[in-house]
Amino acid sequence: MVCPRLARALSPLLALTLLATLGAGPARAQTLTGRVLLPGGAPAAGVLLLALSATSDSVVRQAATDADGGFTLAVPPHPIRLRALRIGHMPTELGEYSLRPGERRVVTLRLIGAPIQLRPQVIAAARQCVATADAGEAVVTLLEEVRKALTLSTMRQSQGDLSMRVLRYSALTAPDGRSLGTRNLTVRAGASSRPFQSLPPELLSQVGYVSEDRGGTVYRAPDARLFLSPEFEAGYCLRVEDEADSPLIGLAFSPMGDADIVRIRGTLWVDRTSLELRRLDYLYDGVRRALAGARLGGSVSFTRLPSGIWFEDDWEIRMPRTSILQQVGLSGRMTETEVLDAIQADHGKVLSVSLENELIYATASPVQDSVGSRVISDLAAARPGVRADSLLEMASCAAGMEGASASIMGAVRRRPSTAVSNATVSAEWKERFRVTGFHQWSWTQRTLRTTSATDGFYSVCGVPTDRLIEVAATYQEHRTRTIAVRAPASDIDLWFARNEIPETSERSTLLRVSTADGEPIPFAVVSVGGGKPRIADEEGRVALDVDPASTPQISVRRLGYRPFYGMMPRDSGGAVAVVLDVAPSTLDAVRVTAASSPLERVGFYERMLMAQRGAYSAEFITPEEIREKAASQTSHLLTGSVYVTIGMSAEDGRRRAMALGRNDCRMNIILDGQRINPENGALEGFVAIDDLVSGRTIAAIEIYASNANAPA
């Protein structure tokens, strides 16, 4: 007989709370402010500044520099010494300062700290587990570098308000690794500088990382505060983990002495060359015998952005699901044995980070397919609204990727939503590190460049998956904000400000449709040379793929107005504007002065504009086109569509038209918001489109490439 008992995680992985970490300012207002520069004069981002007491090494205040090297440090009204801590470098002493009460002093500081180099022979000598106070040189050095990163990750960012989108999902596996369940996905967004937090270290040292309560078993994970606490120094011994040919070097920790609580042991992994913190791996130490071989524990990954912002970007916690097996022996005595049934792994990942509502970091969801594994039929859905040449570029990009290579895709735009063609998009990353002198070191910088297409689309192929990529676009002398990306990633849009570049790109012309009084005419249908029509937005504006120096034939139509047919008009300044006259009407009740049309109220024009901007892969047949075709049958209106093929059926002795989608599959048809379900067996499940509604009564038609691509 088996009695199940769930070992439930009431607080999986540090209670994911999206809260900003606020700090209190000093009572007095004296401040030291300014910039910190690297030896070459460039801004020093993400440097930790410590204000030390002039008579001791005690830290009285601390601050971090922003992307421009700027800082503001509140200091007490007595002498202090200023020290700069930069990851991978020796500390720089920046002198002594004494500010009067209320004084605000502006300074420019320059770093001179030499890069830190770990000697292999020291690492080999430090393999034994030693207490922190007696640790070897390599252990102490690694611990200091880890603490720099962890301190920066716990500090509230002075650069502005951070917001994050965080994905949570779980997976259930058998003890042998077989999958036992699907993943449950949730995405949360909110203001945050620390995406997760645990219990304070002093409390964890008392209750442990695994404890029982009335609801089940609670599994906890460490956060940055543990490794900055006195409890860590007093309770753990350290050694260096040096794996051959690995780009990482580890600081391993394990609990000292015996305890009746569950503790953790693990490794903090740092980059061998830059000494930047990369990952924490940990296991629970002291769990029950039945769970000892399950490798229960987790991991936390860290990311440093070019602006100096540190945060935990990925984490996992592995917890058991157990049951109690009751057996009756030959003696008649019942025994109970705990059995491991499965391992539940709860995951969290930061999908994006925005600073003051501007994207600064993005990555792909770990539960999505890689862009490189998609076939070309899926590429259109992955980036709807792009042109055929862009889809071919996406396909060739995916086909050419090998090994750990990936791609980054998106669009270059000018606010509010104009595509920018011929912009140069660059993807840069640090590939290798080398020391060039006692006070100098350099990275081997790799750069890939591409040019945005006529619809603003770009793709950069062949970037690494294990590096942070900096992506930005330039147009003439202007540059977009740099976004840090972990590949593969899509929908990484790069934005120019409204006043940085002209409204139109080199192959684009902005046209405005208005009345003689200057009032904009929204949703007018514009066609160039008889090509695919586009509609104007709410302000009567539409961007056309036309060389600004040319004057092609255009047509501009809107129900209730006289249409315009002719050469594209331009004024003396080169602006393009079309004026439509109100068509005469015999019914005063239907003057074109209504606040909105029925199609506008049901969202037809809004969805059409979104499709033009790339939100959907769709076709739209407007009222103006329907009136021009004057078709009595709906199938005639659909003739020539990219996504619809008209098939004919001779069932029951009649020829009837059917709307077929891709691969001649049945299409879902919605009439005025109601799904049309054909009777069982009628036309083999297809709808006779002309029997459904007359072409003369249709106001407009929307056609989507797939159900997945259609709006909800």
Side-chain angles (χ1 to χ4, degrees), residues 82-378:
L82 200 60
R83 178 181 298 167
L85 301 182
R86 182 183 173 204
I87 295 175
H89 292 73
M90 299 295 292
T92 299
E93 300 295 335
L94 298 172
E96 184 172 314
Y97 296 86
S98 180
L99 275 66
R100 298 184 302 274
E103 180 183 359
R104 179 182 176 87
R105 187 178 303 181
V106 180
V107 295
T108 299
L109 308 172
R110 192 177 294 271
L111 301 179
I112 59 173
I116 296 173
Q117 301 179 55
L118 292 175
R119 295 194 296 270
Q121 64 271 20
V122 175
I123 296 175
R127 283 192 173 274
Q128 69 276 12
C129 177
V130 294
T132 303
D134 301 324
E137 179 184 347
V139 170
V140 174
T141 298
L142 286 177
L143 182 60
E144 289 177 349
E145 299 309 299
V146 164
R147 284 179 167 172
K148 291 177 188 177
L150 294 174
T151 300
L152 289 168
S153 72
T154 60
M155 296 178 66
R156 183 176 184 269
Q157 301 300 327
S158 60
Q159 305 180 30
D161 294 331
L162 284 180
S163 60
M164 296 184 177
R165 290 179 60 249
V166 180
L167 171 71
R168 293 289 303 273
Y169 65 100
S170 62
L172 196 64
T173 58
D176 59 5
R178 292 178 293 107
S179 177
L180 298 179
T182 58
R183 294 163 173 168
N184 300 317
L185 304 177
T186 59
V187 176
R188 297 182 61 187
S192 176
S193 58
R194 297 183 60 198
F196 70 93
Q197 300 179 35
S198 184
L199 292 178
E202 58 272 19
L203 187 56
L204 286 172
S205 65
Q206 300 175 20
V207 303
Y209 290 85
V210 180
S211 60
E212 303 285 343
D213 65 12
R214 290 179 299 177
T217 305
V218 181
Y219 285 80
R220 303 180 180 90
D223 64 6
R225 292 176 296 177
L226 169 68
F227 304 98
L228 301 172
S229 67
E231 286 77 12
F232 181 73
E233 290 190 23
Y236 290 85
C237 57
L238 308 175
R239 60 184 175 84
V240 172
E241 284 281 352
D242 186 16
E243 298 181 356
D245 301 325
S246 172
L248 302 178
I249 188 169
L251 179 65
F253 58 93
S254 56
M256 292 190 298
D258 298 326
D260 56 357
I261 59 174
V262 175
R263 296 181 290 181
I264 59 170
R265 54 185 171 88
T267 305
L268 289 152
W269 296 101
V270 303
D271 189 284
R272 182 183 296 274
T273 51
S274 68
L275 299 185
E276 289 189 344
L277 179 61
R278 291 287 181 256
R279 191 179 74 247
L280 160 67
D281 294 330
Y282 68 93
L283 296 172
Y284 294 114
D285 188 276
V287 295
R288 298 184 299 273
R289 179 179 302 178
L291 309 177
R295 295 193 61 80
L296 304 177
S299 63
V300 182
S301 297
F302 297 84
T303 285
R304 177 190 184 274
L305 300 184
S307 60
I309 296 175
W310 278 90
F311 61 95
E312 301 94 337
D313 70 305
D314 198 325
W315 56 91
E316 176 192 55
I317 182 169
R318 299 183 301 275
M319 302 164 289
R321 286 192 176 185
T322 63
S323 60
I324 300 298
L325 177 63
Q326 295 182 339
Q327 295 176 317
V328 179
L330 295 177
S331 63
R333 183 179 179 181
M334 179 177 292
T335 61
E336 294 185 350
T337 305
E338 185 177 16
V339 178
L340 177 65
D341 296 325
I343 297 174
Q344 177 180 325
D346 281 7
H347 301 260
K349 187 175 184 66
V350 175
L351 297 180
S352 65
V353 179
S354 296
L355 176 63
E356 301 290 346
N357 296 320
E358 292 283 349
L359 183 69
I360 60 174
Y361 170 82
T363 187
S365 165
V367 295
Q368 294 175 344
D369 290 336
S370 168
V371 174
S373 67
R374 296 173 181 159
V375 297
I376 189 170
S377 62
D378 295 327

Side-chain angles (χ1 to χ4, degrees), residues 471-483:
V471 183
T474 56
Y475 186 84
Q476 297 175 357
E477 72 277 13
H478 301 288
R479 181 181 175 89
T480 65
R481 177 192 287 271
T482 299
I483 300 178

